[in-house]
Amino acid sequence: MRDTLTSVFQLLDLHSARSTRLEAGGAWSLRFPDRHVLKFAAVTRGGCWMLHPEHPEVELRAGDAFLLCHTPSYVLASDRSLPPENGAEVIDWSASDTGRYGGDEVALLAGAFAVSALHERVIHDALPRLMLLRRETAAAAAIMRTLELMEVEFQAARMGASLMRHHLAEMLLVQMLRAHASAETVRGGWISTLTDPKLGAALGAIHGAPERHWTLRELAGIAGMSRSAFAQAFQRALGRTPIDYAAHWRMQVAEDLLARGLSVTEVSDRMGYSTQSAFGAAYKRIRGQSPGAVTRRAEARP
């Protein structure tokens, strides 16, 4: 059975848009545009400031990393008083995945990810707009080891370097999500619930078998809790009852299958419905449209 994070990643069709490296020196301020759903960056040498429109400015030192969800336009700078230049224009990113500006006192590694437009909310509902991971935290050591491997792939023009950076970027994203989930200050959402052995087990069952029409008794048994205690704890953590959450996840998967070109009949069968009409009614109740509307859009795509 797939674990919850794996099932979510497969549904999201999460892929690394590009992994990049930035070197900068002197007095500089660079603004990066709103382009990606998810982006992480880590300082590997020196230090700088990160200015986010929705948070206080953050001083970053070597070993610090951050993750942005639904990335707004943000600024990296050595001098916060400088008006920022457009980092996508003043650096020639077309020639190399390493951008250089003024020197090399500061170095950062970054990865940007696109997410299926159908399922962006799955990520938005689980993550803060900005997650900061300081080098002093326990999770930072593992992340730095992965960053060191990525740095090697940038420095040496070896066979498969781009592919290696792609997979290392995915590893870094998972490591940062683990760090976020295990943080004591994080409460609520499916990512933080993964660290709860009881609720996480039930959540894993739901995600691993979306076609199964789970009962409260079954899920409480997997969690090793009484039905009432499990139902209360699950709703407190996820904001939905266990059965409602399972139904919404089932339809999230169903929408993905419909968008990929499967027929309503095929998806109805896969999702465990005895009739197409029963599936259609459940889908419309939860997703607010008929499954046929999704298939028609999929057929209309070039």
Side-chain angles (χ1 to χ4, degrees):
M1 182 182 291
R2 295 174 298 172
D3 67 87
T4 302
L5 190 58
T6 299
S7 71
V8 171
F9 271 32
Q10 290 178 344
L11 178 67
L12 294 175
D13 191 25
L14 196 68
H15 58 280
S16 174
R18 192 177 188 185
S19 56
T20 55
R21 186 174 183 274
L22 173 65
E23 291 182 353
W28 55 275
S29 179
L30 299 172
R31 180 178 298 279
F32 295 92
D34 177 1
R35 283 187 177 174
H36 300 284
V37 173
L38 283 172
K39 182 172 184 178
F40 73 82
V43 180
T44 58
R45 183 170 65 243
C48 63
W49 292 87
M50 197 273 282
L51 286 70
H52 187 287
E54 300 174 12
H55 294 273
E57 57 192 24
V58 177
E59 185 176 12
L60 300 169
R61 300 160 293 162
D64 292 339
F66 63 86
L67 176 68
L68 297 172
C69 179
H70 196 65
T71 315
S73 177
Y74 67 99
V75 173
L76 294 174
S78 66
D79 186 341
R80 292 164 289 168
S81 67
L82 291 175
E85 298 181 80
N86 189 325
E89 294 179 357
V90 299
I91 297 175
D92 183 10
W93 293 103
S94 63
S96 171
D97 287 330
T98 296
R100 296 178 172 86
Y101 186 92
D104 62 0
E105 292 97 330
V106 180
L108 298 97
L109 293 177
F113 300 86
V115 174
S116 166
L118 283 175
H119 311 299
E120 288 182 9
R121 185 158 295 282
V122 176
I123 285 292
H124 292 171
D125 290 346
L127 294 176
R129 303 281 279 188
L130 168 64
M131 172 192 149
L132 179 64
L133 184 68
R134 291 296 189 186
R135 61 183 177 181
E136 295 86 4
T137 61
I143 289 173
M144 285 307 299
R145 288 193 294 271
T146 307
L147 287 168
E148 289 168 3
L149 292 174
M150 183 180 279
E151 182 79 34
V152 170
E153 296 301 329
F154 270 103
Q155 298 293 347
R158 297 189 295 182
M159 178 182 66
S162 179
L163 181 62
M164 284 290 291
R165 294 201 306 268
H166 175 102
H167 290 299
L168 288 169
E170 291 179 334
M171 285 178 59
L172 283 164
L173 179 58
V174 172
Q175 288 173 326
M176 294 198 75
L177 293 179
R178 284 176 174 174
H180 172 72
S182 61
E184 293 183 359
T185 56
V186 175
R187 294 293 181 268
W190 59 263
I191 287 185
S192 61
T193 304
L194 300 183
T195 60
D196 184 303
K198 294 182 177 181
L199 296 182
L203 197 64
I206 292 171
H207 281 257
E211 75 287 350
R212 184 164 176 172
H213 292 245
W214 294 96
T215 67
L216 182 60
R217 180 188 294 275
E218 290 171 332
L219 292 171
I222 291 170
M225 302 170 68
S226 71
R227 281 178 288 176
S228 60
F230 169 69
Q232 291 173 6
F234 193 99
Q235 183 154 7
R236 189 164 52 247
L238 278 301
R240 297 185 188 276
T241 68
I243 302 308
D244 190 42
Y245 183 94
H248 276 76
W249 176 250
R250 186 182 308 117
M251 294 310 163
Q252 190 93 40
V253 174
E255 183 167 12
D256 187 67
L257 295 174
L258 292 167
R260 292 175 187 271
L262 274 69
S263 70
V264 175
T265 299
E266 290 173 315
V267 177
S268 175
D269 290 341
R270 284 200 186 191
M271 293 296 99
Y273 287 87
S274 57
T275 66
Q276 186 175 317
S277 61
F279 168 67
Y283 186 90
K284 188 170 185 178
R285 176 176 60 82
I286 291 174
R287 304 302 288 179
Q289 61 181 330
S290 70
V294 182
T295 59
R296 287 191 291 273
R297 284 199 300 272
E299 291 168 355
R301 287 198 301 266

